[in-house]
């Protein structure tokens, strides 16, 4: 934990004195008299607030507002996502300066030793607008997203230091652990089918169940190419501002086949007809930018094959999220939209046929 004042637990704990101390400790001396704190975002991965300071001294011309992330208010939810808090803090402390993927500037990051409390103070990206997972995106936004993603994968490509990085949440190593995770995936698939019911078509239900039964052989037979993964690279975690995009919510970092992030984005964010029409160009654009970061010995045909295989990320992450998160109407509609798009992509790309039976 840092040496500054106690981590705020509630918005009322965020005072002018607290903001003065954390900003000054970060090397930007300032005096804040009062603050206005208002909630923003969907609240699915924690409590997010816009903090507007009233400065009495601001020699460095710090911005008029910041974004502050605190733990989820519900103790049950917080207990389930403490690893995510550690992952996000690890990203801003150890990864953000290594990669070129666009992210908000971090002004302060603090986490308790037990991981139950944390505070993350970021630059406010307004007027950028959060992507809408249910509505989906257009090709121009998708192009921005896949280009940005290469800035995460390229600088971490096949670098063994990331395989033991402390911030990993979604990386499973060893055959026994993978088989255990595969069993969890099958259970999550069943729970998701029960939860979403008629929101899923018969074809999508069949694809989801079949995919979750193949998680173990999918992971056991994955190519040895790897990179650091965002793990939940989708529209709700992207902020768009014209020709710019910023990536947030680094609570599910892992290491694995890089195309899992790529396929998860296109498979969940584009309506099927649009995805089918644009995906070859999007994969080629991602591949080109990836090579520009210095990646070698990775041709476009191999990238496309990895992309087809990586589409398994859609039912995996969607099912885990649906099965083990608090149930809300918007959350269920969002998961159904993601699975509808992603399961059709799996069928059209022949993803399940690529995976050997265990």
């Amino acid at each position: 934990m840092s040496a500054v004042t106690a981590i705020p637990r509630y918005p009322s704990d965020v005072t002018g004195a607290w903001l003065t101390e954390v900003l000054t400790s970060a090397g930007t001396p300032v005096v804040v008299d009062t603050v206005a704190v208002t909630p923003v975002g969907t609240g699915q991965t924690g409590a997010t607030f816009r903090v507007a300071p009233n400065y009495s001294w601001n020699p460095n011309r710090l911005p008029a507002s910041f974004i502050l992330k605190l733990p989820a208010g519900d103790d049950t939810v917080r207990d389930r996502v403490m690893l995510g808090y550690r992952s996000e803090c690890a990203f801003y402390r150890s990864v953000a300066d290594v990669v070129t993927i666009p992210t908000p500037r971090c002004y302060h990051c603090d986490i308790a030793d037990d991981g139950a409390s944390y505070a993350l103070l970021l630059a406010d990206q307004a007027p950028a607008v959060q992507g809408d997972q249910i509505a989906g995106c257009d090709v121009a936004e998708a192009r921005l997203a896949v280009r940005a993603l290469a800035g995460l994968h390229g600088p971490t490509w096949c670098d063994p230091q990331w395989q033991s990085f402390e911030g990993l949440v979604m990386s499973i190593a060893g055959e026994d652990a993978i088989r255990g995770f595969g069993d969890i995936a099958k259970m999550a698939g069943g729970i998701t089918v029960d939860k979403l019911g008629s929101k899923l078509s018969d074809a999508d239900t069949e694809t989801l169940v079949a995919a979750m039964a193949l998680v173990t052989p999918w992971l056991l037979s994955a190519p040895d190419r790897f990179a650091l993964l965002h793990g939940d690279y989708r529209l709700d975690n992207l902020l768009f501002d014209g020709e710019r995009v910023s990536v947030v919510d680094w609570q599910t970092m892992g290491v694995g086949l890089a195309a899992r992030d790529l396929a998860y984005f296109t498979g969940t964010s584009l309506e099927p007809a649009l995805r089918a029409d644009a995906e070859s160009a999007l994969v080629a654009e991602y591949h080109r930018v990836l090579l520009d970061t210095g990646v070698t010995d990775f041709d476009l045909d191999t990238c496309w094959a990895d992309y087809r295989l990586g589409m398994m990320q859609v039912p995996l992450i969607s099912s885990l999220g649906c099965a083990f998160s608090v149930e809300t109407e918007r959350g269920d509609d969002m998961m159904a939209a993601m699975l509808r798009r992603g399961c059709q992509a799996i069928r059209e790309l022949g993803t399940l046929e690529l995976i050997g039976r265990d």
Side-chain angles (χ1 to χ4, degrees):
M1 186 186 301
S2 67
V4 300
T5 191
I7 300 172
R9 182 180 176 91
Y10 304 106
S12 58
D13 298 329
V14 180
T15 63
W18 180 83
L19 193 58
T20 295
E21 187 168 354
V22 299
L23 291 172
T24 299
S25 297
T28 50
V30 71
V31 175
V32 179
D33 290 336
T34 59
V35 295
V37 183
T38 55
V40 295
T42 62
Q44 286 185 288
T45 58
T48 306
F49 305 91
R50 177 166 283 114
V51 177
N54 177 27
Y55 299 106
S56 60
W57 186 58
N58 184 16
N60 295 291
R61 297 185 178 181
L62 291 179
S65 61
F66 302 87
I67 294 297
L68 176 67
K69 293 190 69 173
L70 300 176
D74 180 84
D75 287 341
T76 302
V77 175
R78 184 166 59 246
D79 288 345
R80 285 204 301 268
V81 296
M82 283 192 297
L83 285 176
Y85 304 154
R86 292 189 185 278
S87 181
E88 189 152 41
C89 285
F91 172 81
Y92 284 104
R93 287 174 172 174
S94 303
V95 181
D97 291 338
V98 176
V99 297
T100 58
I101 190 169
T103 59
R105 176 181 173 182
C106 181
Y107 286 89
H108 174 70
C109 179
D110 200 1
I111 188 165
D113 292 340
D114 63 3
S117 298
Y118 90 127
L120 186 64
L121 189 69
L122 302 173
D124 191 348
Q125 300 303 100
V129 176
Q130 182 183 26
D132 187 332
Q133 196 66 57
I134 295 176
C137 71
D138 60 24
V139 174
E141 291 169 325
R143 188 177 296 113
L144 288 174
V146 302
R147 289 175 56 87
L149 185 58
L152 170 66
H153 297 159
T156 62
W157 190 264
C158 292
D159 186 339
Q161 71 167 311
W162 300 111
Q163 292 178 311
S164 57
F165 179 56
E166 63 177 358
L168 301 182
V169 171
M170 290 298 294
S171 288
I172 311 296
E175 183 172 340
D176 289 344
I178 288 174
R179 291 187 182 280
F181 185 68
D183 291 339
I184 293 172
K186 282 190 275 189
M187 177 179 67
I191 295 173
T192 298
V193 169
D194 290 341
K195 270 191 173 185
L196 297 183
S198 61
K199 292 179 184 288
L200 294 179
S201 69
D202 290 345
D204 292 338
T205 296
E206 182 178 348
T207 300
L208 170 59
V209 171
M212 292 302 89
L214 291 175
V215 166
T216 292
W218 176 59
L219 292 175
L220 287 174
S221 62
D224 58 6
R225 294 175 292 279
F226 65 88
L228 194 63
L229 303 178
H230 181 282
D232 195 18
Y233 196 74
R234 57 184 174 86
L235 284 173
D236 272 12
N237 294 331
L238 302 178
L239 305 173
F240 293 95
D241 182 12
E243 292 299 311
R244 297 185 299 172
V245 64
S246 295
V247 183
V248 296
D249 282 344
W250 294 87
Q251 297 194 4
T252 50
M253 279 195 298
V255 164
L257 190 69
R260 288 166 58 180
D261 272 344
L262 177 63
Y264 182 70
F265 172 78
T266 61
T268 61
S269 304
L270 293 166
E271 282 297 311
L274 188 59
R275 182 225 1 112
D277 183 61
E279 65 188 340
S280 62
L282 291 171
V283 172
E285 181 75 357
Y286 163 84
H287 179 258
R288 186 185 68 76
V289 179
L290 191 67
L291 296 188
D292 287 345
T293 70
V295 171
T296 59
D297 299 324
F298 185 58
D299 60 45
L300 181 56
D301 287 344
T302 303
C303 185
W304 177 255
D306 285 357
Y307 170 78
R308 292 175 62 203
L309 193 62
M311 198 58 71
M312 281 280 288
Q313 186 83 350
V314 176
L316 175 62
I317 300 302
S318 301
S319 292
L320 292 172
C322 185
F324 302 119
S325 64
V326 175
E327 191 171 354
T328 66
E329 184 176 355
R330 184 187 187 279
D332 286 353
D333 288 344
M334 183 183 76
M335 294 301 178
M338 292 167 65
L339 285 166
R340 174 178 59 82
R341 295 169 184 150
C343 286
Q344 184 164 337
I346 284 174
R347 293 192 294 271
E348 291 178 356
L349 292 167
T351 297
L352 301 187
E353 289 72 28
L354 299 175
I355 304 169
R357 268 46 178 180
D358 185 37

